[in-house]
Amino acid sequence: MAAFSQDDKIAPASPEVDSRAISSGNEMDEADEALAALGYVPVFKREFSMWSSFSFALSISGLYATVMATFSYPLYAGGAASVTWCWLIGGAGALSLALSIAEISSAYPTSGAMYFTIKYLAPEGYVPIIAWIDGDATIGWLNLIGTISGSASSEYGAAQMLLSAVSIRSHFTYSPTQGHVFGVMAALTVIHALINSLSTAWLKRLASLYAVFHISILLAASISLLILQKDKHTAKYVFTNVEPESGWSPPGFSFLFGCLSAAWIMTNCDATARIAEEAKDPARVVPTAIVSASVFTYAAGWLFNIVLVFCMGDPKGLLRSPAGQPVAQLFYNVMGPGAAVFFTAVGFLIMNFVCIPSIQAGSRTVWAFARDGMLPASRVWYRIWKRTDTPVLAVWLYSVLCILVNLIGLGSYTTIAAIFNMCAVALNLSYCIPIICKLFYGRFERGPWHLGPASVFVNVCACIWNAFMSVIFLFPTVRPVEPGNMNYAIVILAFVLLLATIYWFIGGRFYYTGPRTHTRIANGVIVGGDIAETPADQEKC
């Protein structure tokens, strides 16, 4: 980083361009040199270590809090057995996706994450249309919209948890309204945006705390339940009892909806790849963090779900909870109101630990798209704030978009639920596109972290399973289907794809050439890339 001052800019690629020598010494480390070779000017300080990156990746899943928020899915789908086995099955599919993403992120560690990899994985002639679908149209219309929807749903879930704790504390005399949820959500989003306006060094310090706190709460909740619940279910009940409440038949089809919990929790596993330009040795640190956090989430999540099932009592009573949170009701039934408020409140804190890095990762995606000139007013959103060396304007744009998405919930909870469901579908499909390109076009050059001979098998499993689960995400989870419980995710997804297609034919195909490169290295010298102008390279505000 020392090779570039705050006022340095990369000139356009032309015979008269000024070039900047890259020292092989201490002026530019290997990660910055690799980023310049990929075509981008290093502008962030590399603060994230292996531990803080792992903690960041683990916090994105928010295992404890998101299990609380999604426990009703497997309960409705098939009861105890669905909770137990669907996590094992669905989590394995999600883990194969995480492994595939880790392998690709090791080869191309940039803030553009999976969108940027299209430039290197797809044939040159197909890069614009594939990247448009996977990038500005669907990592921007699939991935960016999926990312924004995911962050918005996390903020919404955090607000629900806080108000659930208030409801429990009032002995259920208080019932949260949609207006209350939106107001709390908006306030939380503003707080999280303020935190993300800090420097990378401060964000790294916060991220380093997430894992310790999260794991401690998981252990405390599990041990407390196992000790205090005297009337536990038997192992036979936990592993074999099937009681579908969804209304779908046959029961085997209903059972599939139980996989939604694991798929939802492990969906945003590429978030760590989006802070690659802020991580030390990202080609190794980022994939290691993704995989280690995903493996931990998979294993610990299965064990935590088993504990909940052993201790849950009557599942039908949990699903009818006035608090609207089955796990919060379980805590109340087993440990009483005081402990229930505590464990629900810490669930709220952990959901905040999901929201803060989620906004960080999402804002880096906005910033990366602006760097490629893909957004309206890209020169604005690409600016770096001098005091923190972070894209503060991109942070606030992303946060405002999250609030606007949740604003829909004031008018219709059914519609906002459809947008949240589309999050997992959009992200999964946007992840599968680069993996499919890797498999079919043979242009992938692996990085230092890779899957070896298992790569093709894992990649194929990831694409097949997640394509299948994306279809399941579009079905209503309960029957009979009525306007109030219909899953309109398919309508939202179709609208997004239609808008992206129209936008492509009207304007995109005339100017969009795929992910841009602003620099390249020639004979140890950094020179201009493949475009004549960049959107305010390293511009400070």
Side-chain angles (χ1 to χ4, degrees), residues 362-422:
S363 65
R364 297 323 186 248
T365 303
V366 169
W367 178 83
F369 285 178
R371 175 170 58 184
D372 285 351
M374 292 167 55
L375 301 177
S378 286
R379 295 181 66 89
V380 174
W381 313 124
Y382 183 62
R383 289 174 179 167
I384 301 295
W385 198 28
K386 291 180 181 178
R387 293 185 180 181
T388 63
D389 281 330
T390 55
V392 172
L393 294 177
V395 167
W396 284 96
L397 171 64
Y398 187 82
S399 301
V400 168
L401 291 173
C402 289
I403 293 174
L404 292 177
V405 167
N406 280 322
L407 184 61
I408 298 171
L410 281 177
S412 171
Y413 179 78
T414 303
T415 304
I416 195 68
I419 293 175
F420 294 163
N421 284 337
M422 191 198 68

Side-chain angles (χ1 to χ4, degrees), residues 318-340:
L318 298 184
L319 293 172
R320 293 192 298 265
S321 169
Q325 294 278 346
V327 177
Q329 186 66 47
L330 191 162
F331 289 143
Y332 183 87
N333 295 344
V334 175
M335 295 184 281

Side-chain angles (χ1 to χ4, degrees), residues 477-495:
T477 56
V478 295
R479 294 189 67 185
V481 179
E482 300 172 352
N485 61 24
M486 173 62 185
N487 185 354
Y488 293 98
I490 183 64
V491 178
I492 304 294
L493 183 63
F495 173 76

